[in-house]
Amino acid sequence: MSHWITRNVRRLAWMSAATLTVLIAGPAAAQGQELKPADIEFRTSYGEMRFPEKYPDGTSISITQWSHFVPKYDEWFAEYAQEWGKAHNVKVTVNHINLSDLPASLAASISAGDGPTLVEMNAAPSAFIEGLQPLDDVNAAAEATFGKIAETCRHSSYLPTKEMWYGYCHGWVPDPGVYRTDLWQQAGYPNGPETYDDLLDGGAKIFQKTGLPVAVGLSPELDSEFYARALIWSFGGSIQDEDGNVVFDSPETLAAVRYQKKLFDSAMTPQVFAWNPASNNQTYIAGQASYIQNSISFFRSAQDIGSQIANDTGFRPGLKGPGGEARMPSHVWFIYVMPAYVKDQNKITAAKNFLLDLSTNYSSASYYSKFYNFPAFPKQVPQLFQDGGWLDKDPWGSEPADKLAIFKTAEDWTVWLGYPGYANPAIGEVYQTHVLTTMMADVARGTKTPEQAVRDADKQIRAIFAKWRKRGFVGGSD
Amino acid sequence: MNSSTIAPVEHAREEGLLARLGRALDRPQVLVWLMLGPAVLYIIAFVGFPFILAIALSLSDATIGDPSLDRYVGLANFAAVMRQDAFWIALRNSLLITAASIGLLLVLATAASELLVYSFRGKRLFQVLFILPWAMPVSLAAIAWLWLLDSQFSPVDWVLVQLGLLGPGSPLGPFSHLYYLGRPWLGIASLVVADVWRMLPLATIIVLAARLSIPEERFQQARIDGAGFFRILFRITIPALRPMLIVAILFTSLLIIGEMGMVEILTRGAPGHATQVLPYWAYLKGIQSGSLGQGAAIALFLFPFLLVAAVLALRAAYRSPEA
C-alpha cells in the first residue's frame, strides 16, 4: 500500500512538474524557438589566410563608416568592434560619418596619404582603385570559407579590367517596391502593383480619387537614381552591356522614358523633382503617397514611432516590365576598402582579420540591422532565409509577421549599378552626376521629348565612358 | 649732470640685446615685412598654393584615386567641361543668383542701416536677432529653409492655403503646395531668398559703419533746407555710402558665388540641372565622380569673373569722391 502510495505520489509529482513545465516554460520554450544570431566567434584561419590570436602590443586599426540608417546596427557594431579588439589585443576606433561625405572623406585621406585603416563605402568605389590596396586575398579566403559571394557584391567590389578586388563587400540592401495596402486594395490591386502597367493604372486611380500620388523620385539623389535604373532595366534597357560597351540609346530605354512621362502626367506631382533621399520616406510615413521604392529602413522608423502606416505597408519585389522582367538595384552596399597608404603590416593583417570575422558573425550584423543588411555570403545567415526564419516571422514586430517574406527571393530580382556589366568608374560618374534622373526629370517637365532626352543622355554617357576607358578602367570599345 | 655720467647709460641701452632688436625691428624695410608677413604667408598658403594646384589639376588627368599631376592633358578638361549642358546652366545660374542676391541685398542693407541708425525700443534685441542668420552655420540655415520650403510640410504653403491663395480654385494653383524647390524659377528664387537672408547682416554691418560715419550736420542742414527723406537718401546718403556699398557688393558676391552648401541641401541642382551652380557641379564632377581634373577646370571658370568683378569694384571704390 505504502509502495502504491509512494508510486502514485511520485507519479503525481511528475505529472504536476510536467504540467508546471508546460504552463511556465511552454511560452519560454516557444520563445526559445525564436531564432537568435549565432554566438560571436573569432577565427584564426580562413582559406589560405592565417591570423594570430593576439596582435603585438600597440596594434591599432581605425574604421570610418557611414552612419547606419537603422541606429541599432551602429550600437551593435560599436560593441562588437570593441569586443573584437579586446580579444585580439588591437585598439579599434570606429568613426561614423554621413553617407554622402564618404567620397570626399576618402579622397582627402588618399590625397593626404594618411587616415583610417578601413573605410566603408555605400556604393562601388571603383574610381578610387589606384589609391586602394587589392583585397584579392581576403575575397578569396572569404569565398573559400563562406561560399559564393552574392553577385551584387561581386560586381560592386571587383573590376575585371584591372583584375582586382578593390573592396570587401560584406552586405547589401534590397530595394523593394513599397505600397499602401489599403489604397491599392480599394483600387482593385489587393496584392499591390505587380507590373509597371499596374503602377500606372492603379496609381492614377488612387491619385484621382484621393490626391495621393505615386512618389517615385525624379531628383538628383540616391533613391531616384535607383528608381530610374529599375525602370529602365525592367523594360530591357541598360547603360552598358556585360563588356562595358554603351548601349543606352535603345528602343527599350526609350519605352521606359515614355512610360515615366505617362506616369508623371497621370499620378505624380512636381514635388519629386527636388527631393533628397529622406523625402520619399517622409512623404510615405506622413500618409501622402501610394507607392514608393525604398529599403526597409523607413518601415523600421515607422514601426519605432508606432505609425499605422507601418501596418498598412506592403512590399513588392521589382515590378515587371513589358517583357515580364523585374530588376531592382541594391539600395546600398557595405563595401570596406583599405587605402594604399596603410603600410603597417600589423594593421593590414588585423584589418583583414576583422573583415573576415565580421562575415563569420554576420547573423548578428543582419539581426541588429533589423534585416536591413543582407549578407554577401548568404550561407552565413541561415536564420534569415530558412522556412520559419526571420523573414517569415519578423522578430522586430512586423504585422503580419511574414510581411518581409518576399525578401527571401531578393537576390533573384536584385542587380547592381552597372548591370549587366560591372560597376566601373564610368558607371559611378553617370550615377554621381545624375545623368539618368536629369533625363527623366527633363522629360517629365516637358523640356525635352523622350527621344531627345535619351539621345542627350547617351551622348553624355559615351563621353564619360570614353574618358574612363582611355585610362583602362572600362572594357568594351563603344 | 655732465656727459661722462650719461654716456655709460646710453651705451648700455645701445648695446643691449633687446635694444638692438628693437632698433632692427624699427627699420621700415623690416617693419613692413613684419606687418605684412602673416597676411602674405596666409595668402600664399591658403590662396596661392591651392590656386596653383587647381590650375595644375585642371591641366592633368588626375583622378580621385590617383591625384598625381604627372599626366598632362593640356586644355582637354576645359574642352570636355564646355561640352556639358549642365556646365552652361550652372554658369548662368551662378551669375544670375549672385546678381539677383546682390541687387536685393543693396536695397535691404541700405534700408536696414537707415533703420538701425535711429534709437528705438527693443533695438538691442532686434540687433541680436538680425545678426543671427550670419552667425548660423550655412548647413543649419539651409536645413531651416529646406523645411520652410518643403514639398509636404511647408508652413509658408499652409499660410497661403489658410489665406485662400493656394489650393483648388485659388490664384496660385490647384495643389495645396507650391513645390518651391521642384520648379525651376521658384527654385532659383528660393536660393536667392535664402542667400539674401543669410548675407543681409554682413552687408548691413558694412553699410551701417559707413552710414554712421556721415556727419549728422549734413542731414540736419538738408532738413533745414527742406529736403525730404528720399531726397536726402538719394542725394546725400547713397553717394556717401557708395565706397562701402561697393565693398559690401564685393564681399557678399564673392561669398555667394563660391557657396555650394545652400544648393547642395536645398535643391541639389534640381529639377534636372535647372538650379545647378558651378561650385556644386565642380564638386559632383571632381570629388563625387572622381574626375579631379574636370572638377578643377569647372571651378576655375569662376576665376575670370571673380577677378574682373573684384578689380572693377576696387577701382570704383578708390575713385569714389567719398573714399
Side-chain angles (χ1 to χ4, degrees):
Chain A
M1 179 70 180
S2 66
H3 179 69
W4 181 88
I5 291 171
T6 309
R7 197 176 60 192
N8 279 286
V9 166
R10 194 177 293 160
R11 186 179 290 169
L12 193 64
W14 272 110
M15 282 172 70
S16 304
T19 307
L20 274 172
T21 304
V22 169
L23 286 174
I24 297 169
Q31 243 181 7
Q33 287 171 1
E34 186 182 293
L35 295 167
K36 287 288 176 190
D39 291 338
I40 296 295
E41 178 194 359
F42 301 133
R43 301 172 55 164
T44 55
S45 165
Y46 290 94
E48 292 179 359
M49 294 189 82
R50 302 286 177 271
F51 298 101
E53 285 191 1
K54 297 274 183 191
Y55 286 82
D57 287 348
T59 305
S60 66
I61 59 172
S62 59
I63 302 169
T64 293
Q65 61 190 43
W66 50 282
S67 298
H68 202 283
F69 293 133
V70 179
K72 197 162 191 67
Y73 176 84
D74 284 344
E75 291 168 24
W76 168 79
F77 189 86
E79 279 181 31
Y80 170 80
Q82 292 316 307
E83 190 180 337
W84 187 92
K86 202 172 165 187
H88 292 85
N89 192 35
V90 174
K91 185 183 175 194
V92 183
T93 312
V94 182
N95 179 30
H96 290 100
I97 62 173
N98 187 290
L99 173 138
S100 60
D101 294 333
L102 287 166
S105 178
L106 180 57
S109 296
I110 289 174
S111 191
D114 197 9
T117 318
L118 293 170
V119 181
E120 188 187 59
M121 308 296 283
N122 67 308
S126 53
F128 289 91
I129 198 165
E130 288 160 303
L132 303 176
Q133 303 211 14
L135 295 176
D136 298 40
D137 52 353
V138 182
N139 280 282
E143 286 208 298
T145 311
F146 309 129
K148 199 164 169 271
I149 191 170
E151 287 302 307
T152 186
C153 281
R154 176 190 304 282
H155 285 81
S156 305
S157 50
Y158 178 75
L159 194 60
T161 51
K162 297 286 182 186
E163 296 181 338
M164 175 177 160
W165 288 90
Y166 53 87
Y168 181 73
C169 176
H170 61 81
W172 58 281
V173 178
D175 197 36
V178 181
Y179 69 101
R180 278 275 299 277
T181 50
D182 51 341
L183 297 174
W184 283 85
Q185 194 155 21
Q186 288 162 23
Y189 295 92
N191 296 318
E194 293 182 14
T195 66
Y196 280 99
D197 282 342
D198 290 349
L199 185 67
L200 179 60
D201 178 59
K205 278 184 193 165
I206 294 169
F207 186 55
Q208 281 160 17
K209 191 176 171 191
T210 65
L212 299 180
V214 169
V216 288
L218 301 177
S219 179
E221 53 88 27
L222 178 150
D223 291 335
S224 305
E225 290 292 332
F226 289 148
Y227 166 72
R229 280 159 181 76
L231 176 64
I232 291 169
W233 288 326
S234 299
F235 270 67
S238 64
I239 292 174
Q240 62 173 3
D241 65 13
E242 282 181 54
D243 299 322
N245 295 302
V246 177
V247 293
F248 186 71
D249 189 355
S250 66
E252 290 82 8
T253 303
L254 191 58
V257 176
R258 283 181 179 143
Y259 168 86
Q260 183 51 50
K261 172 69 174 160
K262 272 193 240 170
L263 182 66
F264 179 80
D265 290 342
S266 312
M268 295 172 68
T269 65
Q271 64 180 318
V272 297
F273 289 133
W275 269 358
N276 60 42
S279 300
N280 62 3
N281 306 0
Q282 289 161 356
T283 303
Y284 186 84
I285 292 176
Q288 296 299 310
S290 65
Y291 179 93
I292 62 172
Q293 179 180 317
N294 213 325
S295 64
I296 65 165
S297 56
F298 88 89
F299 171 66
R300 295 306 192 193
S301 302
Q303 283 182 309
D304 288 346
I305 60 171
S307 168
Q308 174 61 28
I309 293 292
N311 293 340
D312 291 340
T313 290
F315 294 102
R316 294 296 311 164
L319 300 178
K320 290 174 191 161
E325 287 286 306
R327 294 273 176 268
M328 295 294 249
S330 299
H331 187 74
V332 283
W333 297 257
F334 301 90
I335 305 167
Y336 279 114
V337 297
M338 193 189 300
Y341 58 70
V342 182
K343 303 286 186 198
D344 183 308
Q345 203 52 48
N346 287 329
K347 267 184 196 290
I348 292 172
T349 309
K352 290 178 176 178
N353 192 354
F354 182 89
L355 295 180
L356 290 163
D357 278 345
L358 182 60
S359 286
T360 294
N361 297 300
Y362 217 75
S363 61
S364 289
S366 199
Y367 182 80
Y368 289 106
S369 71
K370 299 185 177 181
F371 317 129
Y372 185 80
N373 290 35
F374 271 48
F377 301 96
K379 286 181 185 168
Q380 287 307 103
V381 193
Q383 302 95 321
L384 191 61
F385 302 104
Q386 71 189 49
D387 287 341
W390 287 333
L391 291 175
D392 279 337
K393 197 176 171 187
D394 180 16
W396 296 106
S398 290
E399 289 288 343
D402 66 348
K403 190 184 289 258
L404 305 181
I406 66 123
F407 290 99
K408 289 169 80 172
T409 60
E411 203 178 335
D412 299 338
W413 40 266
T414 298
V415 295
W416 49 89
L417 288 178
Y419 171 83
Y422 279 79
N424 55 49
I427 285 292
E429 183 165 342
V430 172
Y431 167 68
Q432 295 285 7
T433 53
H434 312 300
V435 176
L436 299 198
T437 47
T438 300
M439 174 191 72
M440 292 291 193
D442 285 346
V443 173
R445 289 163 52 221
T447 56
K448 286 183 183 175
T449 64
E451 292 78 6
Q452 188 189 356
V454 171
R455 210 168 37 244
D456 288 353
D458 183 79
K459 196 173 129 195
Q460 291 175 59
I461 291 168
R462 284 180 188 281
I464 290 168
F465 267 68
K467 180 182 69 184
W468 288 105
R469 190 177 285 125
K470 203 171 160 189
R471 296 204 61 171
F473 283 87
V474 179
S477 55
D478 188 16
Chain B
M1 188 180 285
N2 58 36
S3 61
S4 63
T5 56
I6 294 168
V9 175
E10 284 179 349
H11 180 72
R13 190 187 297 154
E14 283 170 4
E15 293 305 315
L17 185 64
L18 284 176
R20 275 183 289 157
L21 186 63
R23 279 202 305 280
L25 294 180
D26 274 344
R27 282 156 53 197
Q29 58 269 45
V30 176
L31 189 62
V32 71
W33 280 109
L34 267 181
M35 302 298 273
L36 288 176
V40 170
L41 277 177
Y42 177 88
I43 289 168
I44 289 172
F46 295 107
V47 180
F49 177 70
F51 180 66
I52 290 166
L53 185 63
I55 292 173
L57 280 171
S58 71
L59 300 174
S60 79
D61 193 18
T63 69
I64 207 164
D66 179 14
S68 57
L69 303 169
D70 51 0
R71 290 181 302 275
Y72 176 75
V73 295
L75 297 175
N77 286 325
F78 290 91
V81 159
M82 290 171 73
R83 285 195 291 270
Q84 298 159 6
D85 292 344
F87 166 76
W88 293 107
I89 299 171
L91 181 60
R92 181 204 69 184
N93 287 344
S94 288
L95 298 175
L96 179 66
I97 289 170
T98 306
S101 302
I102 295 303
L104 273 173
L105 276 171
L106 281 181
V107 175
L108 294 175
T110 307
S113 65
E114 280 299 306
L115 181 68
L116 289 169
V117 161
Y118 298 103
S119 295
F120 56 89
R121 192 180 170 83
K123 183 179 172 181
R124 286 198 180 280
L125 178 65
F126 178 80
Q127 283 173 323
V128 170
L129 294 175
F130 191 77
I131 204 78
L132 272 183
W134 178 244
M136 196 183 281
V138 181
S139 53
L140 201 58
I143 288 168
W145 278 99
L146 185 65
W147 280 104
L148 277 174
L149 304 173
D150 188 82
S151 59
Q152 286 292 332
F153 311 108
S154 166
V156 181
D157 284 346
W158 184 84
V159 170
L160 291 174
V161 169
Q162 300 307 310
L163 293 174
L165 296 172
L166 188 60
S170 67
L172 291 175
F175 297 119
S176 54
H177 303 284
L178 272 176
Y179 306 123
Y180 304 92
L181 306 176
R183 293 184 158 136
W185 291 109
L186 275 179
I188 286 179
S190 302
L191 291 169
V192 169
V193 169
D195 276 336
V196 168
W197 174 81
R198 203 171 69 82
M199 291 293 170
L200 186 58
L202 173 70
T204 304
I205 286 169
I206 294 171
V207 176
L208 182 62
R211 175 65 181 79
L212 290 170
S213 68
I214 304 172
E216 187 55 30
E217 293 77 17
R218 291 179 66 180
F219 297 108
Q220 286 171 356
Q221 200 171 359
R223 280 187 213 109
I224 290 166
D225 291 344
F229 174 80
F230 285 105
R231 200 161 172 208
I232 291 173
L233 181 69
F234 289 111
R235 300 297 294 273
I236 296 176
T237 312
I238 291 180
L241 289 179
R242 192 177 148 201
M244 291 310 274
L245 284 177
I246 291 167
V247 170
I249 290 171
L250 189 59
F251 270 53
T252 48
S253 61
L254 292 180
L255 287 169
I256 290 170
I257 206 165
E259 159 67 39
M260 65 167 234
M262 279 287 180
V263 172
E264 184 183 18
I265 291 174
L266 286 185
T267 67
R268 286 162 315 288
H273 286 299
T275 61
Q276 192 61 267
V277 291
L278 280 186
Y280 189 52
W281 185 237
Y283 171 72
L284 287 181
K285 272 284 177 188
I287 304 295
Q288 296 290 91
S289 305
S291 298
L292 271 184
Q294 282 196 13
I298 295 166
L300 281 173
F301 266 97
L302 280 177
F303 177 69
F305 293 98
L306 299 182
L307 185 68
V308 169
V311 169
L312 288 179
L314 289 174
R315 283 183 64 170
Y318 281 123
R319 279 182 185 175
S320 167
E322 300 289 339

